[in-house]
Amino acid sequence: MFSKSNKKPQHEIELDQHELIENAQARIKQKKRLYYHFVIFLIGSVFMIVANKFLKYGEDYNWFIWGISFWSFLLLLHFINVYFVDPFLGKEWERKQREKLVAIQKKRINKIQLEVEKEYPEDIEPENNIN
């Protein structure tokens, strides 16, 4: 009951929770933008069809098919980005890659430092001459 446990200090828990909340809010914002994009796509598609067929704008050619097809492609890219790319290549992936690269840089620095120490060994310890 009163034993020591491996609990994190309170401020670390709050920081973790804050980071989780920020990530959740960013994810919600992404999805919300995708839904807005979809609604605007539907309204725009209906407008293009009405303009072409009923308002007789460019009636000799069904141009709305190309407009809707292109816009559908953009909407599909947006969907793929939100639901497939971002979860795998999002903030967590960036953090892991950053940590991996920092570790590689530290190894290189340590290797260079060892080479320098081998090439220029310090035989005499620095003296603390205080006058």
Side-chain angles (χ1 to χ4, degrees), residues 78-94:
H78 193 174
F79 177 83
I80 290 170
N81 184 39
V82 170
Y83 284 102
F84 296 105
V85 175
D86 192 62
F88 296 113
L89 300 175
K91 298 277 185 189
E92 185 68 23
W93 180 83
E94 287 178 9

Side-chain angles (χ1 to χ4, degrees), residues 35-81:
Y35 298 147
Y36 280 139
H37 188 177
F38 180 69
V39 169
I40 291 171
F41 165 75
L42 291 177
I43 293 169
S45 297
V46 169
F47 177 75
M48 284 191 274
I49 293 170
V50 166
N52 187 235
K53 292 295 182 184
F54 299 109
L55 298 178
K56 312 271 189 220
Y57 182 78
E59 75 175 318
D60 55 330
Y61 182 69
N62 291 333
W63 54 266
F64 69 91
I65 294 172
W66 289 103
I68 292 173
S69 298
F70 180 71
W71 202 348
S72 299
F73 177 71
L74 293 177
L75 184 63
L76 178 66
L77 289 178
H78 193 174
F79 177 83
I80 290 170
N81 184 39

